[in-house]
Amino acid sequence: MDYKMVLLLLINGAIYNKKLGLIDEIWFELDWMYVKEEARHHNCMGIVYPVIKRIQERFNCIDSDVYAMWEEEVERLCDEHRQKDKNAQVIIDELNKENIEVALFKGAYLADLYPNYLYRDSWDVDLFVDIADMEKAINVLEKLGYKIDSSEDLEESKVMKKDDFVVDLHFSLWEGYEEHNKKYLRELCIEDKDTF
């Protein structure tokens, strides 16, 4: 059994919400615990969960304990995302109170592209503030109980943590780019806080 292909078919079915195009018997032949562990390993347990649910409802081919574990893990993932959303909103509100323009971007911003944004795997919240507001923004997060993670200290961003919640506070969008590329990208004015 090519489990990588099975996982890709499950992901495809989740993204496009379509029929999986396999003969029905295949679902009874799978080692569903292995499928679950592969999905966890590749950080896609949540995204394929709606397809797993459809398969279970139609064929009842997944061991009930395995299915219950999958469901429980996905619910825990959803709870974590709800809490991350609340934490991010508190930070954004506090930055706004201090007249600091902030942009939410990367994974959190793209979450709506997922069939269900709560099912995506993510590790941090990425916020962008103007370099001129760097010290004020850091102070706001420190007042909220966040501490700078010095092991990930970069010139153009600060990783700040509070318990298990991680905020990547960016002051430049061009980390890692060559200088001539940075010059070109800056000319696009994407970092202009008046156009956030």
Side-chain angles (χ1 to χ4, degrees):
M1 182 68 59
D2 185 351
Y3 280 93
K4 287 183 178 144
M5 184 57 70
V6 169
L7 202 53
L8 288 172
L9 286 168
L10 293 172
I11 292 168
N12 188 56
I15 292 171
Y16 297 108
N17 194 25
K18 64 180 187 179
K19 191 173 177 187
L20 298 172
L22 291 176
I23 57 173
D24 295 348
E25 291 79 23
I26 190 84
W27 306 120
F28 293 92
E29 297 174 11
L30 293 175
D31 177 344
W32 283 103
M33 180 60 94
Y34 184 77
V35 173
K36 183 177 87 59
E37 293 306 315
E38 280 293 294
R40 180 191 292 118
H41 175 74
H42 294 289
N43 298 318
C44 63
M45 281 191 70
I47 197 166
V48 300
Y49 175 70
V51 177
I52 298 301
K53 187 175 180 179
R54 286 194 330 242
I55 291 169
Q56 184 66 350
E57 287 171 354
R58 180 162 179 211
F59 301 110
N60 194 28
C61 57
I62 305 171
D63 177 80
S64 60
D65 290 338
V66 173
Y67 183 75
M69 282 189 286
W70 199 314
E71 193 172 37
E72 185 180 303
E73 287 185 50
V74 169
E75 188 54 41
R76 205 168 36 247
L77 179 70
C78 291
D79 289 344
E80 289 172 14
H81 283 302
R82 288 183 194 101
Q83 189 59 49
K84 283 181 184 179
D85 289 349
K86 288 178 187 174
N87 292 347
Q89 192 59 56
V90 167
I91 293 168
I92 291 168
D93 291 345
E94 290 301 313
L95 290 170
N96 287 334
K97 283 181 191 173
E98 297 294 324
N99 295 316
I100 300 171
E101 292 288 333
V102 59
L104 183 64
F105 74 111
K106 289 172 75 172
Y109 186 75
L110 299 173
D112 288 340
L113 298 176
Y114 287 77
N116 181 333
Y117 87 97
L118 291 173
Y119 290 163
R120 70 189 181 87
D121 271 341
S122 71
W123 297 271
D124 64 4
V125 169
D126 293 279
L127 300 174
F128 176 76
V129 297
D130 189 271
I131 189 79
D133 294 323
M134 176 176 71
E135 291 303 321
K136 278 175 55 179
I138 290 171
N139 288 337
V140 166
L141 268 78
E142 286 177 337
K143 285 180 188 172
L144 292 171
Y146 291 83
K147 298 194 182 323
I148 293 175
D149 182 352
S150 57
S151 69
E152 300 195 39
D153 194 24
L154 300 171
E155 184 178 315
E156 296 164 326
S157 72
K158 297 289 181 204
V159 174
M160 301 188 74
K161 294 181 179 180
K162 179 180 178 183
D163 302 321
D164 291 332
F165 187 65
V166 180
V167 176
D168 200 350
L169 197 56
H170 296 261
F171 311 109
S172 170
L173 300 177
W174 320 126
E175 298 154 33
Y177 283 84
E178 298 292 328
E179 195 55 44
H180 67 280
N181 289 334
K182 286 182 184 180
K183 181 181 179 299
Y184 172 74
L185 292 166
R186 285 189 182 109
E187 288 171 1
L188 297 175
C189 299
I190 295 170
E191 294 177 310
D192 183 353
K193 68 180 175 181
D194 294 330
T195 60
F196 276 1

